[in-house]
Amino acid sequence: MKLRSVVLLAAMLMAGSTGFTQTTIIEDFKPSPFNQPFQAYPQVNSQGYARFRIYAPNADSVRVSLGLGGQGGTKLLKADSGYFIGTTAGPMDEGFHYYRVNVDGATFNDPGTGFFYGSQRWESGIEIPSKDQDMYALKDVPHGNMQHIIFPSKSTNTQRAAIVYTPPGYEKGNTKYPVLYLQHGWGENETSWAVQGKTNLIMDNMIASGRIKPFIVVMTYGMTNTGAPIGRRPAPPPPAAGTSATPPPAPPAGGGMGAPGVVATGITAGEITGVGAFQTVLLDELIPYIDAHFRTKADRDNRAMAGLSMGGFETHTITLAKPEVFGYWGLLSGGNYTPAQLEGKMKPKFIFISYGSKETRGAEGLPKVEADLKAAGYKVATYVSPGTAHEFQSWRRSLYEMAPSLFK
Amino acid sequence: MKLRSVVLLAAMLMAGSTGFTQTTIIEDFKPSPFNQPFQAYPQVNSQGYARFRIYAPNADSVRVSLGLGGQGGTKLLKADSGYFIGTTAGPMDEGFHYYRVNVDGATFNDPGTGFFYGSQRWESGIEIPSKDQDMYALKDVPHGNMQHIIFPSKSTNTQRAAIVYTPPGYEKGNTKYPVLYLQHGWGENETSWAVQGKTNLIMDNMIASGRIKPFIVVMTYGMTNTGAPIGRRPAPPPPAAGTSATPPPAPPAGGGMGAPGVVATGITAGEITGVGAFQTVLLDELIPYIDAHFRTKADRDNRAMAGLSMGGFETHTITLAKPEVFGYWGLLSGGNYTPAQLEGKMKPKFIFISYGSKETRGAEGLPKVEADLKAAGYKVATYVSPGTAHEFQSWRRSLYEMAPSLFK
């Protein structure tokens, strides 16, 4: 065999390409923790493989959108029982993943899982085991409450939704608490940090262990659902004869779908909302409502803002436009601050910036970002989540890493 | 024509049977308020017709489970665009309805709607306009908070979920409030009264109008998901070779699916839970937790229990077993009390019993039930919801009718 062929073959063997080498899949599959009651599938194993089983007795093809990148997800194979079954070709990253199911060209959710708002729709979701899942485990410790509130917004002429985490013990006495305003990403809503992010469980556990002193977390809808249709959905056809030509409805400001209380928003599909519109809601309407209805320390030193992805972009824009509002700023897979951007502005008490390790450009640039900010006199901490990408495990860990530095 | 034929024809014409007479469908369809953001379908019109549109370009048949009773739902017809479209053959009852979609024999949810827990799964749902929908409209009035709590349960060895409505103004001062414990029906969970029932919006509006004085509402998971599979789901096949034989997972005690925080329960599929198990959770674990963590008037005169359907059955059983715990008892499409059942027991301050008018046996029997109880010296109110059946509009209205008589 020519040397080139030997080298190529060796490389393929080492890369584990299908057909040459295969990791042995450990058959310790268990139902994903985010399944619906009574649903055995999908399942996950200790290595991070995901296995799907969907009943579609007369379908020709069923494919789930999870699987190795660039391979179009995982094609399931039909068994005689009418179930389509398949396992991802490789392990998934730790933590939470959105997905959907394609059945002969139609998009549906997997009846086995719960619903998770992302990509402008309620998606299916799966939870891959993680070495650090103890961080967000449901434990027998004192629990905070997740308060679903409705606040009025003159600027959008609507009643809007937010979820407010009040820490355990909040109901006792007259203590006032600092507040973290925590924003979701594009196509998500106020439930995304709460459910996918497991914010309350991470907070409960950090408080119980003494890692942090208690504070309030406010999660609202950041108006990051633009009207633009997402890639995979077909464009709606012109209304057929006999159907009404009503435009698509305004997306609610969150809530309603398995969360109590449908609230309306002034955002209509097709309207691209700028960060400015959200800035007005946050600064002029939500913060005053929170300060009036919760026992908050209502000053800059006790107010933080952080966000993931587009929520980080919003944080970046709003903190630089109004640096006097928040004392602590966090960007989670959501860009960087530079000394040039900060020059001449009221100085933040602390900056936190993080990425998943697989977000290579952000992660590899982070040491320089940190060094530059420190050299310019800013207090900053950065964090790279090992083995994760632009996904929720990076952000759960980032919340865990960032929280102890807030309000100090 | 013979007289008999003339009479028959006239009867058919008057009955409006298809083919002879047809109500003119008013083309004022609008997206259902319970749709997902950006989803124009399903739609509802002012008469209560529902219209569905589902994209399934390669399917042969798509049917939704809503439609005239006994007709197997509504079969949708395929258009060239790949969308299946159809309208119910007649109007639906006012208010909320669960449904699901059958695509060539497979069960999925309608991608157009949110998710609503009932029949032991997260279902699709649609909201039909109602003449009295102002009762639960989202208005610019002070809003209470829906607090998602987690409380420990020794008896089930789990952390359990409940949703606590605290009225507007709760955060101010040291006022203590009465508490209504409000239970859902079979196959539902703690989100069902919250979302389908619109409890917070009905409470907000009753308080704003002065119809009631504020009180707290506690909605927990009543352990009414038995392990028995429901009729329409196929029995799971034996595990195929290469898949694990893990039993179905324990249904969570609610939450997790679009509601913050997945909590576990000790209930495993297949285990039939008796009301006794729930009675222990409610009386020994939830009530003490609520009294310890919320400013409640913790005595019988300020504690009510009510439930819909199986939640009414639970209320009936628990109030008769422990009449000293609750002073106010409500059965909503959930059976009756009789003087014989109440004899010798601590007397309730007030009994409320209701049915939908289409629950003919319950509704028609109600005057006698009321008369018997009054004759035996009990304070009782009954209510029949006009034009509705065993469904949520009956129960929203019943909450509205019952509430002003509580804690008086």
Side-chain angles (χ1 to χ4, degrees):
Chain A
M1 193 189 273
K2 287 189 179 167
L3 180 61
R4 182 165 173 276
S5 305
V6 171
V7 169
L8 185 61
L9 178 58
M12 289 170 78
L13 283 167
M14 288 188 290
S17 76
T18 309
F20 285 86
T21 62
Q22 199 96 17
T23 306
T24 302
I25 295 179
I26 301 171
E27 285 296 334
D28 61 355
F29 284 85
K30 292 180 172 53
S32 160
F34 267 143
N35 285 4
Q36 295 203 19
F38 305 104
Q39 295 301 316
Y41 284 85
Q43 299 195 341
V44 297
N45 81 348
S46 55
Q47 299 163 304
Y49 285 81
R51 176 167 291 160
F52 304 89
R53 189 187 73 178
I54 294 171
Y55 187 68
N58 296 302
D60 294 319
S61 85
V62 177
R63 181 183 290 277
V64 301
S65 62
L66 279 182
L68 297 185
Q71 294 185 9
T74 301
K75 188 170 169 60
L76 308 187
L77 299 181
K78 192 170 187 176
D80 290 343
S81 57
Y83 279 85
F84 280 75
I85 302 172
T87 305
T88 52
M92 313 295 301
D93 290 348
E94 292 168 311
F96 175 81
H97 302 281
Y98 296 103
Y99 73 100
R100 58 190 72 163
V101 182
N102 187 299
V103 182
D104 292 340
T107 298
F108 293 106
N109 279 7
D110 186 333
T113 85
F115 302 97
F116 308 89
Y117 198 76
S119 298
Q120 299 178 309
R121 69 184 293 275
W122 289 91
E123 299 257 83
S124 291
I126 195 168
E127 181 71 23
I128 302 296
S130 171
K131 288 176 282 306
D132 59 347
Q133 62 194 28
D134 186 72
M135 168 180 40
Y136 44 83
L138 172 62
K139 299 182 184 178
D140 191 3
V141 298
H143 294 289
N145 297 352
M146 288 292 240
Q147 305 203 25
H148 289 230
I149 71 168
I150 300 172
F151 67 99
S153 166
K154 276 200 162 62
S155 70
T156 58
N157 194 30
T158 60
Q159 304 284 306
R160 305 188 70 84
I163 297 177
V164 181
Y165 169 85
T166 49
Y170 178 81
E171 67 284 352
K172 298 263 178 289
N174 287 315
T175 311
K176 295 193 176 192
Y177 294 83
V179 186
L180 165 65
Y181 289 84
L182 189 60
Q183 289 308 126
H184 60 79
W186 175 84
E188 295 178 335
N189 73 14
E190 76 282 5
T191 68
S192 306
W193 263 114
V195 184
Q196 293 87 295
K198 295 187 178 279
T199 296
N200 61 315
L201 298 178
I202 295 172
M203 289 293 293
D204 289 347
N205 293 340
M206 289 195 292
I207 290 167
S209 70
R211 180 177 175 83
I212 64 168
K213 286 200 173 58
F215 56 83
I216 291 168
V217 184
V218 178
M219 294 153 277
T220 194
Y221 174 50
M223 301 163 69
T224 61
N225 286 283
T226 68
I230 51 179
R232 288 185 198 157
R233 281 194 303 174
T243 67
S244 58
T246 339
M257 314 301 159
V262 180
V263 292
T265 178
I267 303 171
T268 49
E271 173 188 324
I272 309 292
T273 60
V275 179
F278 175 61
Q279 177 175 310
T280 300
V281 169
L282 176 63
L283 268 44
D284 299 350
E285 296 165 349
L286 179 56
I287 290 177
Y289 187 93
I290 295 296
D291 289 340
H293 291 80
F294 292 87
R295 294 194 319 273
T296 63
K297 291 180 176 175
D299 56 70
R300 185 189 195 244
D301 284 357
N302 288 287
R303 203 182 290 123
M305 184 176 183
L308 70 90
S309 194
M310 188 173 282
F313 174 77
E314 291 182 312
T315 298
H316 184 274
T317 302
I318 291 173
T319 52
L320 292 180
K322 295 278 188 177
E324 70 278 14
V325 177
F326 302 97
Y328 300 78
W329 306 351
L331 308 181
L332 283 54
S333 304
N336 300 313
Y337 291 105
T338 66
Q341 294 166 347
L342 293 161
E343 183 153 4
K345 297 193 196 297
M346 194 174 178
K347 199 168 166 176
K349 297 197 72 173
F350 170 73
I351 288 172
F352 177 87
I353 303 176
S354 69
Y355 292 94
S357 67
K358 296 185 179 184
E359 302 188 86
T360 43
R361 207 172 69 156
E364 287 170 5
L366 208 44
K368 181 178 194 310
V369 167
E370 177 174 347
D372 288 352
L373 288 168
K374 280 181 166 162
Y378 296 93
K379 182 180 175 199
V380 58
T382 64
Y383 170 68
V384 176
S385 165
T388 59
H390 197 76
E391 55 203 357
F392 256 103
Q393 197 69 357
S394 301
W395 306 320
R396 293 170 179 169
R397 290 171 175 164
S398 295
L399 173 62
Y400 183 82
E401 293 297 324
M402 175 182 71
S405 296
L406 299 179
F407 316 122
K408 293 268 163 68
Chain B
M1 190 188 272
K2 285 187 179 172
L3 179 62
R4 184 167 172 276
S5 304
V6 171
V7 169
L8 186 61
L9 179 59
M12 288 172 79
L13 284 168
M14 287 188 290
S17 77
T18 309
F20 285 86
T21 61
Q22 199 95 16
T23 305
T24 302
I25 295 179
I26 301 171
E27 285 296 334
D28 62 355
F29 285 87
K30 292 181 172 53
S32 162
F34 266 144
N35 285 3
Q36 295 203 19
F38 306 104
Q39 294 300 318
Y41 284 85
Q43 299 194 343
V44 297
N45 81 350
S46 55
Q47 299 163 301
Y49 286 81
R51 177 166 290 160
F52 304 89
R53 189 186 73 178
I54 294 170
Y55 186 69
N58 296 301
D60 295 318
S61 85
V62 176
R63 182 183 289 277
V64 301
S65 61
L66 278 183
L68 297 185
Q71 295 186 6
T74 302
K75 188 171 169 59
L76 308 187
L77 299 181
K78 193 170 186 175
D80 290 342
S81 57
Y83 280 85
F84 280 76
I85 303 172
T87 305
T88 52
M92 313 295 301
D93 289 347
E94 292 169 311
F96 174 81
H97 302 281
Y98 296 102
Y99 73 101
R100 59 191 71 166
V101 182
N102 187 298
V103 181
D104 293 340
T107 297
F108 293 106
N109 278 7
D110 186 332
T113 86
F115 302 98
F116 309 89
Y117 198 78
S119 299
Q120 300 178 308
R121 69 184 294 273
W122 289 91
E123 299 258 82
S124 293
I126 195 168
E127 181 71 22
I128 302 297
S130 172
K131 289 176 282 306
D132 58 346
Q133 62 192 29
D134 186 72
M135 169 181 40
Y136 45 83
L138 172 62
K139 297 182 183 176
D140 191 4
V141 299
H143 294 290
N145 296 352
M146 289 292 242
Q147 304 203 26
H148 290 231
I149 71 168
I150 300 172
F151 67 99
S153 166
K154 275 199 163 66
S155 70
T156 58
N157 194 29
T158 60
Q159 303 285 306
R160 305 188 70 83
I163 297 176
V164 181
Y165 170 85
T166 49
Y170 178 81
E171 67 285 351
K172 298 263 178 289
N174 286 316
T175 311
K176 296 193 175 193
Y177 294 83
V179 185
L180 164 64
Y181 289 84
L182 188 59
Q183 288 308 123
H184 59 78
W186 176 85
E188 294 178 336
N189 73 15
E190 78 282 4
T191 67
S192 306
W193 262 114
V195 184
Q196 293 86 296
K198 295 186 177 281
T199 296
N200 61 314
L201 298 178
I202 295 170
M203 289 293 294
D204 289 347
N205 293 339
M206 289 196 292
I207 291 167
S209 70
R211 180 178 175 81
I212 64 168
K213 286 199 173 60
F215 57 83
I216 291 169
V217 184
V218 178
M219 294 154 276
T220 195
Y221 174 50
M223 300 163 70
T224 60
N225 286 283
T226 68
I230 50 179
R232 287 186 200 157
R233 282 194 301 175
T243 66
S244 58
T246 339
M257 313 301 158
V262 178
V263 294
T265 177
I267 301 171
T268 50
E271 173 189 325
I272 309 292
T273 61
V275 179
F278 176 61
Q279 178 175 310
T280 300
V281 169
L282 176 62
L283 268 44
D284 298 350
E285 296 166 348
L286 179 55
I287 290 176
Y289 187 92
I290 295 296
D291 289 339
H293 291 81
F294 292 87
R295 295 195 316 275
T296 62
K297 293 180 174 175
D299 56 73
R300 185 189 196 244
D301 285 355
N302 288 287
R303 204 181 289 124
M305 183 176 184
L308 70 91
S309 195
M310 187 172 282
F313 175 76
E314 292 182 310
T315 300
H316 184 275
T317 301
I318 291 172
T319 52
L320 292 179
K322 294 277 188 178
E324 71 276 14
V325 177
F326 303 97
Y328 300 78
W329 306 352
L331 309 181
L332 284 52
S333 305
N336 300 313
Y337 292 104
T338 67
Q341 294 166 346
L342 294 161
E343 184 152 6
K345 296 192 196 299
M346 194 174 176
K347 199 168 167 175
K349 296 197 72 172
F350 170 73
I351 289 173
F352 177 88
I353 303 176
S354 69
Y355 292 95
S357 66
K358 295 185 180 184
E359 302 187 87
T360 43
R361 207 173 69 157
E364 288 169 4
L366 207 45
K368 181 176 193 313
V369 167
E370 178 174 345
D372 288 351
L373 287 168
K374 280 182 167 162
Y378 296 93
K379 183 179 174 198
V380 58
T382 64
Y383 170 68
V384 176
S385 165
T388 59
H390 196 76
E391 54 203 358
F392 256 103
Q393 197 69 357
S394 301
W395 306 321
R396 293 170 180 168
R397 290 172 176 162
S398 295
L399 173 62
Y400 182 83
E401 293 297 323
M402 175 181 71
S405 297
L406 299 180
F407 316 122
K408 293 268 163 67

PDB file of all heavy atoms in Angstrom, chain A residues 134 351 384 395:
ATOM      1  N   ASP A 134     -24.757  18.166  39.454  1.00  0.00           N
ATOM      2  CA  ASP A 134     -25.120  18.426  40.847  1.00  0.00           C
ATOM      3  C   ASP A 134     -25.415  19.906  41.064  1.00  0.00           C
ATOM      4  O   ASP A 134     -26.191  20.267  41.942  1.00  0.00           O
ATOM      5  CB  ASP A 134     -23.999  17.982  41.779  1.00  0.00           C
ATOM      6  CG  ASP A 134     -24.391  18.089  43.240  1.00  0.00           C
ATOM      7  OD1 ASP A 134     -25.214  17.268  43.682  1.00  0.00           O
ATOM      8  OD2 ASP A 134     -23.915  19.005  43.926  1.00  0.00           O
ATOM      9  N   ILE A 351     -17.064  43.314  35.683  1.00  0.00           N
ATOM     10  CA  ILE A 351     -17.462  42.811  34.371  1.00  0.00           C
ATOM     11  C   ILE A 351     -17.197  41.310  34.326  1.00  0.00           C
ATOM     12  O   ILE A 351     -16.120  40.854  34.759  1.00  0.00           O
ATOM     13  CB  ILE A 351     -16.655  43.501  33.255  1.00  0.00           C
ATOM     14  CG1 ILE A 351     -17.110  44.961  33.086  1.00  0.00           C
ATOM     15  CG2 ILE A 351     -16.779  42.748  31.930  1.00  0.00           C
ATOM     16  CD1 ILE A 351     -16.230  45.759  32.129  1.00  0.00           C
ATOM     17  N   VAL A 384     -14.395  30.113  30.615  1.00  0.00           N
ATOM     18  CA  VAL A 384     -14.659  29.285  29.441  1.00  0.00           C
ATOM     19  C   VAL A 384     -15.215  27.951  29.915  1.00  0.00           C
ATOM     20  O   VAL A 384     -14.568  27.242  30.686  1.00  0.00           O
ATOM     21  CB  VAL A 384     -13.374  29.066  28.613  1.00  0.00           C
ATOM     22  CG1 VAL A 384     -13.662  28.107  27.456  1.00  0.00           C
ATOM     23  CG2 VAL A 384     -12.841  30.394  28.094  1.00  0.00           C
ATOM     24  N   TRP A 395     -24.164  28.370  29.756  1.00  0.00           N
ATOM     25  CA  TRP A 395     -24.769  29.497  30.460  1.00  0.00           C
ATOM     26  C   TRP A 395     -25.160  29.167  31.884  1.00  0.00           C
ATOM     27  O   TRP A 395     -25.069  30.019  32.760  1.00  0.00           O
ATOM     28  CB  TRP A 395     -25.939  30.028  29.628  1.00  0.00           C
ATOM     29  CG  TRP A 395     -25.470  30.341  28.228  1.00  0.00           C
ATOM     30  CD1 TRP A 395     -24.277  30.920  27.880  1.00  0.00           C
ATOM     31  CD2 TRP A 395     -26.132  30.051  26.991  1.00  0.00           C
ATOM     32  NE1 TRP A 395     -24.168  31.013  26.514  1.00  0.00           N
ATOM     33  CE2 TRP A 395     -25.279  30.495  25.940  1.00  0.00           C
ATOM     34  CE3 TRP A 395     -27.363  29.483  26.662  1.00  0.00           C
ATOM     35  CZ2 TRP A 395     -25.630  30.369  24.594  1.00  0.00           C
ATOM     36  CZ3 TRP A 395     -27.713  29.364  25.333  1.00  0.00           C
ATOM     37  CH2 TRP A 395     -26.849  29.806  24.314  1.00  0.00           C
TER      38      TRP A 395
END
